Amino acid sequence: MSISTSSIEQLSINAIRTLSMDAVQQANSGHPGTPMALAPVVYTLWNKHLKYDPANPHWQSRDRFVLSCGHASMLLYSTLHLAGVKKADGASEPSITIDNIRNFRQLHSPCAGHPEVHEAAGIETTTGPLGQGVATSVGMAIAAKWQAARFDEIFDYDVYALCSDGDLMEGVSSEAASVAGHLKLSNLCWVYDDNKITIEGDTDLAFTEDIPGRFRAMGWHVIEIADANDIEALDAAFTEFKTITDKPTLIVVHSIIAWGAPTKANTHGAHGAPLGDSEIEGTKAAYGWTYGKFEVPAEVYEHFNANLGARGAEAKSQWDASFAKYSKDNAEKAATWSSIISGELPAGWDAELPVFPADAKGIATRASGGKVLNAIAAKVPGLLGGSADLEPSTKTGLTFEGAGDFEAGSYCGRNFHFGIREHTMAAIGNGMALSGLRPYISTFFVFSDYLRPSLRLSAIMKAPVIYIFTHDSIGVGEDGPTHQPVEHLSAIRAIPNVAVFRPGDSNEVSQCYKTVMELTDRPSVLVLTRQNLPTLDRDKYACASGSARGAYVLADCDGTPEVLLMGTGSELSLVVEAYEKLTAEGVKARAISVPCLELFYEQDAAYQKEVMPCDVAARVAVEAGIRQSWDRLLGLKGEFVGMSSFGASAPAEELFPYFGITADHVVEAAKKSIGN
Amino acid sequence: MSISTSSIEQLSINAIRTLSMDAVQQANSGHPGTPMALAPVVYTLWNKHLKYDPANPHWQSRDRFVLSCGHASMLLYSTLHLAGVKKADGASEPSITIDNIRNFRQLHSPCAGHPEVHEAAGIETTTGPLGQGVATSVGMAIAAKWQAARFDEIFDYDVYALCSDGDLMEGVSSEAASVAGHLKLSNLCWVYDDNKITIEGDTDLAFTEDIPGRFRAMGWHVIEIADANDIEALDAAFTEFKTITDKPTLIVVHSIIAWGAPTKANTHGAHGAPLGDSEIEGTKAAYGWTYGKFEVPAEVYEHFNANLGARGAEAKSQWDASFAKYSKDNAEKAATWSSIISGELPAGWDAELPVFPADAKGIATRASGGKVLNAIAAKVPGLLGGSADLEPSTKTGLTFEGAGDFEAGSYCGRNFHFGIREHTMAAIGNGMALSGLRPYISTFFVFSDYLRPSLRLSAIMKAPVIYIFTHDSIGVGEDGPTHQPVEHLSAIRAIPNVAVFRPGDSNEVSQCYKTVMELTDRPSVLVLTRQNLPTLDRDKYACASGSARGAYVLADCDGTPEVLLMGTGSELSLVVEAYEKLTAEGVKARAISVPCLELFYEQDAAYQKEVMPCDVAARVAVEAGIRQSWDRLLGLKGEFVGMSSFGASAPAEELFPYFGITADHVVEAAKKSIGN
């Protein structure tokens, strides 16, 4: 292949490369080598294949491009800039300016170290933690298949993800590849940059798999390209991908990191550090690049505009016409589709939320959760999801007519079987949420650890994925410590921008679900029991609608309380029992239900003080987990009734007294706290 | 295959099955189907192949058997019981009695719902969370290869792991398989129970990979067995495994869950619930089993004793002779090996711990960490480890002569290249620790999320794996929020039985490492900076040896302090600076360094009160993470200077002031707290 700037194509490719090199050098930080290697891939995809209108970057049925190897972020920023992608649909300002690129990796620049989805139009998902981008791309492809199957083919699109060795070494990507192969997601194309270089040296140090063989075994179509600079081969590969109708496609591209750099090409020195001025000079000379720093010849912009731009505008305009026709022929379905994509809840969606009668024997919150989920999903058509092979236990199946299963070749169902792959399930949830759907995913609470990196990304991206975690404490019983969450409530509450709900009875389940559905700027976590909980008598205790404020007074004394008793989930009934005992003994106690700490902290100070007066220092929190997330409310004089160790294997009803989680201990703790 | 009890072999296999059925029924909880299906596999392995002396279950060079599908725990308990495994080396009491089995899944029975390593001899690792067992088995196989290469072939052994669909769907097992194939671990044999049944139904719902093809692509030798009841084929497969010298082996066994059960065989109803009395009756009839509940015919014990027992005793006795000879011929190496396996630190191991001179510019704690690690490893021969492709950044390479790399065919090295596979790296660490070595593993702190399920298992198992996490805060800088840990300190402190160290300067690094090496009843986590930290002048401030108590007074006022200032890591210097400013202004302040909260809470009450007097309510904690784990010390009047959101992409020196983490803010917070 010629390296020099001999054609407008080569000029455009080299513009991606030089902008990337210059930006990393200016920032004195970043990853130049991969953008230089993969510029031809991205150029070919964007300019010749991607269904993408730069003037309407949020067009719902656009093809998606995911840079899973997020460290190569300049590859994306350079491309978005050259492609003339706008800040918003119909906007005149560009999404990424040259000034933004000059400020790569600086405070307030949209060109962050790794792509951040809300920083600039054209960034489809936040990437950087390896494996997440490819796994998220599976969720995007699922969303396209679902829209196409449930509504119309016009809503289909393709999803491309560019990935590195690191992405494919991470377990989450194996899970994702397995799901994509199983589901025969023919609209999904991963491009694997096989450059043989990792941070510790050559990939042979740690990675010697037969990748094409592995992917074929997982049900993928595989294409190999010997040289990343071979535009014709790349073009043919993307064309071939579109002809494959029953499998996802992996394109393996053999590349040379920092292609063209005189001394650093093909070395891991070019991976994560600026090339240096003289190496850049040498590289630009090798490219025959005669322009200044951050300079882009006008014909490059024109070239992108005449290709990607013109093709995208035409596609969008055709789609608009198709959608207009579809809306005329299928008014109701078109309205439903539009309502889903708008993210707004349909009128009356919460009209039939279950109300549960008082019942001492009660019901497990996983069971009432299933009822509430079904009641909502029957009215909210974009709500869909599933479980990591635990649906019979998490009770998260949608059972009403028309819900159906999402399976290979039958993509209109709303029930998903993710297999025993929690991590990719959550990443898929992110991809579905980013595509405008409202996904829920479920597993046992203890296995939230398996999906934590994706949950963190939901939080960073403000993606309103609903996490339904059941079997939430030592109440799991006989399965023992490996299956009993103890630290997980505190550990998830620790993540910024996540709302964690642990309803204390089934009416709180209804109310918490209501709040969750309305919380669209963050992921929500619902933490539900395996075992039955009493349904509180709401004639006697305050209404469960207080749940919306995170914490509320359930039962109170006359005058100022001597002690505040607070709890969540399965321990709320112990709080109530202790409150009754203390009251009977003449101790002035207040019982507070705290289904969501995060929302309580977001209430105004007056409400917070009303519920938990500052001058009442005697406080007891009760939760069958560790105390860490309660200390802020307990202060130095509060007491905690809960866990301080891992659990044990035994029937649940034996474990609670064994670990001292009883109403009597709450009473004791209350008296101790009053005396502190 | 005949199902009936027609031979002593079949009788023994059916004893495993019936004990398992009876125990699950008695507990009214558990998983009978897999023990019934796989009894012939375990029987064949244990009685015909395993190098294992029931009288010496902790013999270091025994073959290991890992039940990765831990829910099938009765399969293991039944086998350990029938095999006559003793409670300890040379003990006369059995490890698992019939009474223990009768108390399956009850409080205080060693027969917990899932196997727990410290509950009974013969349980090699805690399993249950899927994928963990197989990944841990890779660490055990590595430990064998390492001992054999570094010392002598007599220390080699084989590692067998039994796994299910769930194990192979989990990403961590793909990572583990990739590592094992890459390293050509020919002493590793996984047996995959291909029963086509999962909790949601048939595996075809979610799992349609060509597993043999995938494993071959990952460098494994694959054997398929059409019927789990075919003992001859199983026998031949294990024999074939031992002939393969350059690859790990996967034996795919097609089985029928709940084999022999008249109505529940081959249904997912037999997976996770008791069969019921009548189904058990029918099954026993099908087996031709005429004995009572929990009854084992004497000839079964005799059969195990005459086969496994005799073969094991002979192997152990031969090994003893070999070791005696080896000790004579290689006294020094034998002593070194023995010292490693004993877990005791060699005399003088901490004699040359680095001491760092006061230095305002200072050094990053990842850099001083690397020096300290090398100083210790040079004297502690069982200390070995590596990184998930970040060694040049985490500075965890062992650079002294003779350290070397652990690679396929060159197994004596102490530096490991785990690839970008954090999760399996941690599980491998568990396997190495359970095998008597002292492993450390390292990655960026933010990626601790990827390995959290294995870290939790380290804690449950009290496995002293050393986790070295660098790039520990917004100090990461330009890489941005996805790479900046914010919640991770609190989230890991939340896990019971983990000690988290965040040293505040390089001399604290030395002292914390010293403490870590001596903490052998739990995993330790070292949290280190990317950026330089000043090295405190210890003539002016208290000696860093106070680190061993978790927290210590670094600098004090005369008399009772008005305010306590506490901090860790990169924020310790802000605490010191604020202390100096407050002191200059006449405010009585105390500066406290808190490198390890967990150890501080373990000190006696007198010391805790000495460092943090109860009556000083004005307190400020400073840490570039969220406040959650500090609230217990702050009380209702304390103030926190740290993070409450995700970070941002910019140079680190801009981010600290941007997020308000400065000495001036600490001073302000101190005054505010005094006024609270």
Side-chain angles (χ1 to χ4, degrees):
Chain A
M1 292 298 124
S2 157
I3 194 170
S4 72
T5 305
S6 56
S7 67
I8 181 64
E9 295 205 321
Q10 204 55 50
L11 190 75
S12 301
I13 290 166
N14 288 342
I16 295 174
R17 287 170 164 151
T18 54
L19 277 181
S20 302
M21 286 190 285
D22 287 347
V24 172
Q25 191 63 34
Q26 174 97 346
N28 197 24
S29 163
H31 301 76
T34 299
M36 293 160 72
L38 298 187
V41 176
V42 174
Y43 167 82
T44 306
L45 173 60
W46 280 67
N47 241 347
K48 296 178 192 280
H49 293 274
L50 206 68
K51 180 177 78 175
Y52 191 92
D53 179 9
N56 291 289
H58 296 123
W59 169 28
Q60 173 66 16
S61 298
R62 70 192 179 278
D63 288 348
R64 264 57 169 189
F65 173 74
V66 171
L67 186 74
S68 194
C69 45
H71 55 268
S73 56
M74 271 312 305
L75 182 58
L76 179 59
Y77 303 144
S78 300
T79 304
L80 294 178
H81 172 72
L82 297 175
V85 174
K86 301 301 183 201
K87 221 181 174 70
D89 288 4
S92 57
E93 313 95 283
S95 177
I96 303 276
T97 66
I98 276 286
D99 265 1
N100 295 150
I101 289 178
R102 280 179 190 273
N103 282 303
F104 177 52
R105 291 182 157 238
Q106 306 306 303
L107 206 53
H108 307 306
S109 169
C111 299
H114 294 81
E116 304 285 343
V117 65
H118 295 300
E119 289 292 342
I123 302 173
E124 302 285 10
T125 178
T126 293
T127 49
L130 290 171
Q132 298 293 331
V134 283
T136 301
S137 77
V138 174
M140 295 176 172
I142 283 173
K145 287 280 187 194
W146 186 78
Q147 291 173 73
R150 196 144 190 113
F151 298 97
D152 193 88
E153 281 299 324
I154 63 167
F155 302 116
D156 203 3
Y157 51 82
D158 292 328
V159 180
Y160 299 88
L162 205 53
C163 62
S164 62
D165 306 307
D167 287 296
L168 296 194
M169 279 191 257
E170 291 287 1
V172 65
S173 73
S174 290
E175 295 179 7
S178 181
V179 170
H182 170 75
L183 291 174
K184 304 186 192 297
L185 298 177
S186 60
N187 59 341
L188 180 66
C189 178
W190 290 1
V191 181
Y192 164 44
D193 173 28
D194 187 9
N195 67 12
K196 302 281 178 214
I197 298 286
T198 65
I199 290 176
E200 292 187 357
D202 191 286
T203 52
D204 283 351
L205 267 181
F207 192 48
T208 45
E209 288 175 28
D210 165 17
I211 285 286
R214 168 150 77 93
F215 274 77
R216 283 191 190 102
M218 294 170 113
W220 287 59
H221 178 68
V222 180
I223 304 169
E224 290 199 67
I225 291 179
D227 179 355
N229 288 297
D230 187 343
I231 296 173
E232 283 175 33
L234 289 164
D235 190 12
F238 290 122
T239 301
E240 182 175 329
F241 153 63
K242 291 183 211 167
T243 68
I244 305 297
T245 57
D246 59 350
K247 285 176 182 181
T249 293
L250 178 76
I251 303 176
V252 179
V253 177
H254 299 276
S255 83
I256 290 172
I257 197 167
W259 169 254
T263 71
K264 293 194 175 172
N266 209 21
T267 71
H268 78 271
H271 170 76
L275 296 177
D277 285 326
S278 75
E279 186 78 3
I280 288 182
E281 202 177 312
T283 311
K284 288 183 176 174
Y287 294 163
W289 187 262
T290 56
Y291 306 91
K293 214 169 167 179
F294 295 109
E295 192 186 347
V296 177
E299 57 262 47
V300 170
Y301 293 116
E302 286 156 18
H303 178 64
F304 269 94
N305 191 39
N307 288 273
L308 169 71
R311 216 183 56 253
E314 171 66 17
K316 174 66 164 65
S317 143
Q318 279 182 11
W319 186 89
D320 286 343
S322 302
F323 183 64
K325 183 172 182 318
Y326 178 73
S327 299
K328 200 178 280 174
D329 300 346
N330 305 273
E332 199 181 328
K333 284 178 89 174
T336 302
W337 180 83
S338 297
S339 139
I340 290 172
I341 300 312
S342 75
E344 281 161 28
L345 292 163
W349 70 273
D350 58 350
E352 291 173 45
L353 277 182
V355 175
F356 298 86
D359 177 3
K361 180 170 170 280
I363 172 172
T365 52
R366 62 173 166 145
S368 47
K371 289 182 207 292
V372 176
L373 175 66
N374 270 277
I376 296 173
K379 307 222 170 204
V380 179
L383 184 61
L384 73 183
S387 168
D389 194 43
L390 288 171
E391 182 274 316
S393 296
T394 59
K395 311 286 184 195
T396 44
L398 301 185
T399 54
F400 49 84
E401 204 187 316
D405 273 7
F406 185 97
E407 269 300 346
S410 169
Y411 296 119
C412 64
R414 289 168 66 184
N415 285 298
F416 288 74
H417 300 282
F418 294 110
I420 303 165
R421 308 180 184 97
E422 298 81 9
H423 197 171
T424 216
M425 169 173 71
I428 287 171
N430 285 335
M432 292 166 77
L434 291 167
S435 307
L437 310 184
R438 193 72 199 272
Y440 65 86
I441 61 169
S442 72
T443 184
F444 289 168
F445 191 29
V446 82
F447 300 134
S448 61
D449 279 347
Y450 274 77
L451 55 74
R452 201 171 160 90
S454 298
L455 170 54
R456 185 175 206 255
L457 277 181
S458 304
I460 288 181
M461 296 195 288
K462 305 176 184 173
V465 178
I466 303 171
Y467 291 83
I468 304 171
F469 296 134
T470 67
H471 296 63
D472 72 346
S473 73
I474 52 170
V476 164
E478 293 89 343
D479 275 347
T482 57
H483 283 53
Q484 292 165 355
V486 166
E487 71 276 25
H488 298 75
L489 280 161
S490 285
I492 295 187
R493 288 174 182 147
I495 306 174
N497 206 40
V498 179
V500 180
F501 295 83
R502 189 166 185 251
D505 79 348
S506 292
N507 286 308
E508 285 196 4
V509 171
S510 266
Q511 294 302 315
C512 288
Y513 255 108
K514 182 166 166 11
T515 304
V516 163
M517 290 304 297
E518 290 166 339
L519 266 184
T520 53
D521 63 346
R522 66 187 100 173
S524 291
V525 173
L526 277 154
V527 179
L528 306 173
T529 64
R530 174 191 186 211
Q531 73 276 25
N532 282 1
L533 303 192
T535 306
L536 295 178
D537 180 352
R538 297 288 173 168
D539 291 334
K540 192 167 171 195
Y541 302 106
C543 173
S545 61
S547 302
R549 306 192 77 169
Y552 64 103
V553 178
L554 197 61
D556 208 1
C557 55
D558 290 329
T560 305
E562 292 170 76
V563 63
L564 309 180
L565 310 176
M566 39 189 131
T568 74
S570 46
E571 289 66 66
L572 187 62
S573 59
L574 302 183
V575 164
V576 170
E577 201 180 328
Y579 161 83
E580 298 291 359
K581 288 190 183 196
L582 287 164
T583 303
E585 292 182 31
V587 178
K588 289 187 172 187
R590 171 179 290 181
I592 305 169
S593 178
V594 193
C596 181
L597 278 165
E598 294 78 15
L599 290 188
F600 181 62
Y601 291 131
E602 290 177 18
Q603 303 303 308
D604 57 46
Y607 181 75
Q608 292 189 33
K609 286 178 190 171
E610 189 188 315
V611 176
M612 299 184 196
C614 300
D615 50 358
V616 183
R619 298 169 171 208
V620 180
V622 195
E623 188 170 79
I626 61 151
R627 61 181 294 158
Q628 190 173 275
S629 46
W630 290 95
D631 283 315
R632 184 163 166 193
L633 295 175
L634 289 177
L636 298 176
K637 299 190 172 181
E639 295 289 330
F640 182 71
V641 176
M643 298 292 292
S644 61
S645 69
F646 293 112
S649 172
E653 54 278 16
E654 291 179 33
L655 289 175
F656 283 89
Y658 180 71
F659 287 107
I661 305 175
T662 63
D664 286 343
H665 273 98
V666 179
V667 168
E668 256 176 58
K671 291 176 182 171
K672 185 166 178 221
S673 189
I674 291 169
N676 279 347
Chain B
M1 290 302 123
S2 158
I3 196 170
S4 71
T5 306
S6 56
S7 67
I8 182 63
E9 295 205 324
Q10 204 56 50
L11 190 74
S12 302
I13 290 167
N14 289 342
I16 296 175
R17 289 171 163 150
T18 52
L19 277 181
S20 302
M21 287 190 285
D22 288 345
V24 171
Q25 192 63 34
Q26 174 97 346
N28 196 24
S29 162
H31 300 76
T34 299
M36 292 159 72
L38 298 188
V41 176
V42 174
Y43 167 82
T44 307
L45 173 60
W46 278 67
N47 241 347
K48 296 177 190 282
H49 293 275
L50 206 69
K51 180 178 78 177
Y52 191 92
D53 179 8
N56 291 287
H58 297 122
W59 169 27
Q60 173 66 16
S61 298
R62 71 192 179 278
D63 287 349
R64 264 59 167 188
F65 173 73
V66 172
L67 186 74
S68 194
C69 44
H71 55 269
S73 56
M74 270 313 306
L75 181 58
L76 179 60
Y77 305 144
S78 301
T79 304
L80 294 178
H81 172 72
L82 298 175
V85 174
K86 300 302 182 201
K87 219 179 175 72
D89 289 3
S92 57
E93 313 95 283
S95 176
I96 304 275
T97 65
I98 276 285
D99 265 0
N100 295 150
I101 289 177
R102 280 179 190 271
N103 283 303
F104 177 51
R105 291 183 156 237
Q106 306 308 303
L107 207 52
H108 308 305
S109 169
C111 299
H114 293 82
E116 305 284 344
V117 65
H118 296 299
E119 290 291 342
I123 302 174
E124 302 285 9
T125 178
T126 293
T127 49
L130 290 171
Q132 297 294 330
V134 284
T136 300
S137 76
V138 174
M140 294 175 172
I142 284 172
K145 287 281 190 194
W146 186 79
Q147 291 172 72
R150 195 142 190 116
F151 297 98
D152 192 88
E153 281 300 324
I154 62 167
F155 301 116
D156 204 1
Y157 52 82
D158 292 329
V159 180
Y160 299 87
L162 206 52
C163 62
S164 62
D165 306 308
D167 287 296
L168 296 194
M169 280 193 254
E170 291 288 0
V172 65
S173 72
S174 291
E175 294 178 7
S178 181
V179 170
H182 170 75
L183 291 174
K184 304 185 192 299
L185 298 177
S186 60
N187 59 340
L188 180 67
C189 178
W190 290 1
V191 180
Y192 164 44
D193 173 27
D194 188 9
N195 67 10
K196 302 282 179 211
I197 298 285
T198 66
I199 291 177
E200 293 187 358
D202 192 286
T203 52
D204 283 352
L205 267 181
F207 192 48
T208 45
E209 288 176 27
D210 164 17
I211 284 287
R214 168 150 77 91
F215 274 77
R216 285 193 190 101
M218 294 170 115
W220 286 59
H221 178 68
V222 180
I223 303 169
E224 290 199 67
I225 291 179
D227 179 353
N229 288 297
D230 187 343
I231 297 173
E232 283 175 32
L234 288 164
D235 190 14
F238 290 122
T239 301
E240 182 175 330
F241 152 64
K242 291 183 210 166
T243 68
I244 305 295
T245 57
D246 59 349
K247 285 177 182 181
T249 292
L250 177 75
I251 303 176
V252 179
V253 178
H254 299 276
S255 83
I256 290 173
I257 197 166
W259 170 252
T263 71
K264 293 195 174 172
N266 208 21
T267 71
H268 77 272
H271 170 76
L275 295 177
D277 285 327
S278 75
E279 185 79 2
I280 288 181
E281 202 178 313
T283 310
K284 288 184 176 173
Y287 294 163
W289 187 261
T290 57
Y291 306 92
K293 214 168 166 180
F294 294 110
E295 192 186 346
V296 178
E299 57 263 47
V300 170
Y301 294 116
E302 286 156 19
H303 179 63
F304 269 94
N305 191 37
N307 289 272
L308 169 73
R311 217 183 54 252
E314 171 68 18
K316 174 66 164 65
S317 140
Q318 280 182 9
W319 186 90
D320 286 343
S322 302
F323 183 65
K325 182 172 185 314
Y326 177 74
S327 299
K328 199 179 281 177
D329 299 347
N330 306 273
E332 199 180 330
K333 284 176 92 175
T336 302
W337 179 84
S338 298
S339 139
I340 290 173
I341 300 311
S342 75
E344 281 160 28
L345 291 163
W349 70 274
D350 58 349
E352 289 172 45
L353 277 181
V355 175
F356 298 85
D359 177 4
K361 180 168 170 282
I363 170 172
T365 51
R366 63 173 164 144
S368 46
K371 288 182 208 292
V372 176
L373 174 66
N374 269 276
I376 295 173
K379 306 219 171 206
V380 179
L383 182 61
L384 74 181
S387 168
D389 194 44
L390 287 172
E391 180 274 317
S393 295
T394 58
K395 311 285 185 196
T396 44
L398 301 184
T399 55
F400 50 83
E401 205 186 315
D405 274 7
F406 185 97
E407 270 299 347
S410 168
Y411 296 119
C412 64
R414 290 168 64 185
N415 286 297
F416 289 74
H417 300 281
F418 294 108
I420 303 166
R421 307 180 185 96
E422 298 81 8
H423 197 170
T424 217
M425 169 173 72
I428 288 171
N430 285 336
M432 292 165 76
L434 291 167
S435 308
L437 310 184
R438 191 76 199 269
Y440 65 84
I441 61 169
S442 72
T443 184
F444 289 168
F445 191 29
V446 83
F447 300 134
S448 61
D449 279 347
Y450 274 76
L451 55 76
R452 200 169 160 91
S454 298
L455 170 55
R456 186 175 205 255
L457 277 181
S458 304
I460 287 181
M461 297 195 287
K462 305 177 184 172
V465 178
I466 303 170
Y467 290 81
I468 304 171
F469 296 134
T470 66
H471 296 62
D472 72 345
S473 73
I474 51 170
V476 164
E478 292 89 344
D479 275 346
T482 57
H483 283 53
Q484 292 165 357
V486 166
E487 71 276 25
H488 298 74
L489 280 161
S490 286
I492 295 186
R493 287 173 183 146
I495 306 174
N497 206 38
V498 179
V500 180
F501 295 83
R502 188 167 186 251
D505 78 348
S506 293
N507 287 308
E508 284 195 3
V509 171
S510 266
Q511 294 302 315
C512 288
Y513 255 109
K514 181 167 169 5
T515 305
V516 163
M517 291 304 297
E518 289 165 341
L519 267 184
T520 53
D521 63 347
R522 68 188 98 174
S524 292
V525 172
L526 278 154
V527 178
L528 306 173
T529 64
R530 174 191 186 210
Q531 73 275 25
N532 282 1
L533 302 193
T535 306
L536 294 178
D537 180 350
R538 298 289 173 167
D539 290 336
K540 193 168 171 196
Y541 301 107
C543 173
S545 61
S547 302
R549 305 192 78 169
Y552 65 102
V553 177
L554 197 61
D556 208 1
C557 56
D558 290 329
T560 304
E562 292 171 75
V563 63
L564 309 180
L565 310 176
M566 38 189 133
T568 74
S570 46
E571 289 66 65
L572 187 62
S573 60
L574 303 183
V575 164
V576 169
E577 202 181 327
Y579 162 83
E580 297 292 357
K581 287 187 183 195
L582 287 164
T583 303
E585 293 183 30
V587 178
K588 286 187 174 187
R590 171 179 291 181
I592 304 169
S593 179
V594 194
C596 180
L597 279 165
E598 294 79 16
L599 290 188
F600 180 61
Y601 291 132
E602 289 177 20
Q603 303 303 308
D604 57 47
Y607 181 74
Q608 292 188 34
K609 287 178 188 169
E610 189 188 315
V611 175
M612 300 185 197
C614 299
D615 50 357
V616 183
R619 297 169 172 209
V620 181
V622 195
E623 188 169 81
I626 62 149
R627 60 181 296 159
Q628 188 175 276
S629 45
W630 291 95
D631 283 316
R632 183 162 166 194
L633 295 175
L634 289 177
L636 298 175
K637 300 190 171 182
E639 295 289 330
F640 183 70
V641 175
M643 298 293 292
S644 61
S645 68
F646 293 112
S649 171
E653 53 277 18
E654 292 179 32
L655 289 175
F656 282 90
Y658 179 71
F659 286 106
I661 305 175
T662 63
D664 285 344
H665 273 97
V666 179
V667 167
E668 257 177 58
K671 291 175 181 171
K672 188 166 175 221
S673 189
I674 291 170
N676 278 349

